[in-house]
Amino acid sequence: MNSIALKSFVGLRQVSPEKTQFTGQAKVITIRHRKLKIVAGKYSPLVSGRNLRVAVIGGGPAGGSAAETLAKGGIETYLIERKLDNAKPCGGAIPLCMVGEFDLPLDIIDRRVTKMKMISPSNVAVDIGQTLKPHEYIGMVRREVLDSYLRDRAKENGATIINGLFLKMDIPKDKNSPYVLHFSSYDGKTGGVGEKRTLEVDAVIGADGANSRVAKSINAGDYEYAIAFQERIKIPDDKMVYYEDLAEMYVGDDVSPDFYGWVFPKCDHVAVGTGTVTHKGDIKKFQLATRNRAKDKILGGKIIRVEAHPIPEHPRPRRLSGRVALVGDAAGYVTKCSGEGIYFAAKSGRMCAEAIVEGSENGKKMVNEDDLRKYLKKWDQTYWPTYKVLDVLQKVFYRSNPAREAFVEMCADEYVQKMTFDSYLYKTVAPGNPLEDLKLAVNTIGSLVRANALRREMDKLNV
Ligand SMILES: Cc1cc2nc3c(=O)[nH]c(=O)nc-3n(C[C@H](O)[C@H](O)[C@H](O)COP(=O)(O)OP(=O)(O)OC[C@H]3O[C@@H](n4cnc5c(N)ncnc54)[C@H](O)[C@@H]3O)c2cc1C
């Protein structure tokens, strides 16, 4: 029998150090059925004299969105971010649906990409994006702009933003006691090392990215990761015209054995990058190859920033423990194939915060693990198919140059473009048309066979 049920059963009212009390209804249910399982949140103790306190660690898209939703939902919200002017290494491509769903102002979007060139190992370029409707585009943002916008909005809605480095947390022994967070605060202007502080909260959202300390604190386990490398290159104005509304993706063994290289346009520069899981030690070689492939178009460019960061490959073995949940990269929500994580970070932060707001009845009650688990359930139900489809695509099409040639050839098909863009822009696995699907399957096999035959001929010629 757990302690809440036991105390309710014998008719005791528990007054914890935080003056929590149990609802009478919970007691009746427990006595009548002698059941130990307490339904999520419903019979949780009230928090009195204050609202539920939640800390969000990390102020990227996951943290900013989580904090905004919590604050709007009546939660006493703290967001701890180590670097308020952080420029997260990132391509910054976001799907159209994010602009609407997160009510993003258009002036934080540097470029609206309506044309995408997919470029094969043998430099065959296919234009995709021809099926886009006039209002459809891929947004290109600089992360320093997007992240601070989302954090500021959380603050406007009542969240307290703390400029600090989260260090560790003390996990409570008793189920309603607070988590004690330890962090170095930079708010007090005490110099580079900051000032050691603590904060007591009832629940924690770990939105602190791929190297999450929150994940370590709850023994969430590790995930496989890719290392991504990116250079921001300022190119001459006349070259920038080419990239005005156009992005490029390069595939081939030279640019990455298992990912793709990219050139994404930003306000006054382009971001050129690549990534790999399997050959991390060769990342600079792949970066050079990506730059070489684009060399004519970026000629005369000056590298203004070099950045690298891990990208998770799959969710962590554990994303939740007690009243601590992981979201965004901390949880491992980046899709294979596209390496996309911004939207999923913001969405998971929001979804987790909604579960807390709901479970706590707008901050009036303590939450428990079951309340937070609702977020995981909803997340997996909503996005599992998207992750699976992209995982399969990566396995089929990124494994060799012939497969990549076939992939690029396939991208010329309008049906493929429409399916791909609809799925990307609106974050649903677009339902297909059976006849077109069949044609696509036949064409794909044809492309793969042709590409393999081409490789055999090239091997014979030793080129
Ligand atoms: C090179 C590269 C290119 C990419 N390109 C794209 C792209 O074009 N489109 C796309 O959708 N995705 C892209 N991604 C993936 C995307 O960047 C991530 O999925 C996304 O940033 C995840 O957001 P997040 O909020 O979970 O974590 P992050 O953005 O990593 O934010 C974590 C925040 O936590 C803070 N933090 C970390 N530790 C602590 C601590 N101990 N205390 C306090 N604060 C802390 C950090 O400063 C940071 O602000 C790319 C990734 C890389 C590396």
Side-chain angles (χ1 to χ4, degrees), residues 58 61-62 81-82 86 88 90-93 143 166 208 329 340-342:
E81 165 57 50
R82 65 182 170 191
N86 192 31
K88 163 89 204 292
C90 186
R143 288 294 303 277
F166 165 76
D208 49 344
D329 276 16
E340 187 198 349
I342 301 174

Side-chain angles (χ1 to χ4, degrees), residues 18-55:
E18 291 176 277
K19 297 195 183 76
T20 53
Q21 24 179 264
F22 302 108
T23 59
Q25 207 181 359
K27 206 161 73 178
V28 172
I29 297 279
T30 309
I31 292 167
R32 206 179 283 158
H33 302 291
R34 304 200 171 196
K35 285 254 170 79
L36 307 181
K37 205 172 151 212
I38 294 180
V39 179
K42 210 166 170 192
Y43 307 115
S44 297
L46 293 165
V47 284
S48 65
R50 60 171 175 81
N51 279 8
L52 191 83
R53 303 160 302 183
V54 179

Side-chain angles (χ1 to χ4, degrees), residues 20-166:
T20 53
Q21 24 179 264
F22 302 108
T23 59
Q25 207 181 359
K27 206 161 73 178
V28 172
I29 297 279
T30 309
I31 292 167
R32 206 179 283 158
H33 302 291
R34 304 200 171 196
K35 285 254 170 79
L36 307 181
K37 205 172 151 212
I38 294 180
V39 179
K42 210 166 170 192
Y43 307 115
S44 297
L46 293 165
V47 284
S48 65
R50 60 171 175 81
N51 279 8
L52 191 83
R53 303 160 302 183
V54 179
V56 179
I57 313 299
S65 316
E68 181 186 7
T69 306
L70 291 170
K72 276 182 179 162
I75 309 290
E76 195 177 310
T77 308
Y78 300 90
L79 185 152
I80 303 181
E81 165 57 50
R82 65 182 170 191
K83 207 165 177 287
L84 291 173
D85 58 354
N86 192 31
K88 163 89 204 292
C90 186
I94 57 167
L96 182 63
C97 65
M98 181 163 181
V99 180
E101 281 181 48
F102 288 86
D103 214 0
L104 299 179
L106 294 181
D107 62 1
I108 69 163
I109 296 165
D110 279 350
R111 301 262 167 193
R112 297 187 204 183
V113 165
T114 52
K115 298 178 202 130
M116 177 80 86
K117 272 194 193 299
M118 182 66 86
I119 303 165
S120 83
S122 62
N123 276 328
V124 173
V126 163
D127 291 315
I128 55 176
Q130 297 161 48
T131 58
L132 288 181
K133 299 189 187 80
H135 69 282
E136 290 179 330
Y137 62 90
I138 299 170
M140 290 288 165
V141 295
R142 275 164 298 149
R143 288 294 303 277
E144 53 276 33
V145 176
L146 174 73
D147 295 9
S148 66
Y149 173 78
L150 291 174
R151 278 194 309 264
D152 288 350
R153 211 163 66 180
K155 187 176 172 187
E156 278 161 27
N157 280 286
T160 302
I161 310 290
I162 298 172
N163 182 198
L165 175 72
F166 165 76

Side-chain angles (χ1 to χ4, degrees), residues 104-357:
L104 299 179
L106 294 181
D107 62 1
I108 69 163
I109 296 165
D110 279 350
R111 301 262 167 193
R112 297 187 204 183
V113 165
T114 52
K115 298 178 202 130
M116 177 80 86
K117 272 194 193 299
M118 182 66 86
I119 303 165
S120 83
S122 62
N123 276 328
V124 173
V126 163
D127 291 315
I128 55 176
Q130 297 161 48
T131 58
L132 288 181
K133 299 189 187 80
H135 69 282
E136 290 179 330
Y137 62 90
I138 299 170
M140 290 288 165
V141 295
R142 275 164 298 149
R143 288 294 303 277
E144 53 276 33
V145 176
L146 174 73
D147 295 9
S148 66
Y149 173 78
L150 291 174
R151 278 194 309 264
D152 288 350
R153 211 163 66 180
K155 187 176 172 187
E156 278 161 27
N157 280 286
T160 302
I161 310 290
I162 298 172
N163 182 198
L165 175 72
F166 165 76
L167 301 168
K168 60 173 185 167
M169 72 172 105
D170 301 334
I171 312 276
K173 296 202 171 50
D174 152 357
K175 71 194 298 186
N176 295 314
S177 295
Y179 288 81
V180 181
L181 309 184
H182 298 257
F183 65 101
S184 293
S185 166
Y186 305 129
D187 280 339
K189 300 187 177 42
T190 45
V193 287
E195 190 182 319
K196 296 272 178 294
R197 296 238 177 105
T198 57
L199 176 70
E200 289 193 1
V201 290
D202 304 302
V204 180
I205 297 183
D208 49 344
N211 299 317
S212 172
R213 290 192 193 199
V214 177
K216 282 190 190 81
S217 307
I218 59 164
N219 293 320
D222 290 326
Y223 42 44
E224 183 56 273
Y225 67 93
I227 188 78
F229 195 96
Q230 181 171 272
E231 292 162 330
R232 300 192 189 195
I233 305 181
K234 182 128 176 58
I235 56 174
D237 290 349
D238 57 319
K239 299 269 176 212
M240 201 65 216
V241 173
Y242 170 77
Y243 287 111
E244 181 164 5
D245 53 2
L246 179 141
E248 292 178 324
M249 288 170 76
Y250 292 88
V251 287
D253 279 334
D254 56 337
V255 298
S256 172
D258 50 351
F259 208 66
Y260 62 91
W262 65 85
V263 182
F264 287 172
K266 297 298 167 69
C267 56
D268 62 351
H269 63 273
V270 288
V272 180
T274 182
T276 175
V277 183
T278 54
H279 292 67
K280 297 184 181 77
D282 291 330
I283 188 71
K284 287 195 175 161
K285 192 179 87 186
F286 301 138
Q287 176 67 13
L288 186 61
T290 309
R291 223 192 300 143
N292 269 338
R293 287 255 227 129
K295 67 172 185 281
D296 294 342
K297 288 161 278 183
I298 59 172
L299 201 69
K302 194 167 162 262
I303 297 174
I304 52 174
R305 186 191 272 264
V306 179
E307 46 201 10
H309 203 78
I311 300 186
E313 276 286 286
H314 54 80
R316 286 190 196 270
R318 206 171 173 201
R319 290 168 283 162
L320 174 64
S321 174
R323 287 169 271 139
V324 182
L326 302 176
V327 295
D329 276 16
Y333 295 149
V334 179
T335 53
K336 293 270 188 76
C337 205
S338 62
E340 187 198 349
I342 301 174
Y343 173 80
F344 296 109
K347 200 71 190 177
S348 59
R350 180 184 275 181
M351 222 183 246
C352 181
E354 280 169 353
I356 293 176
V357 170

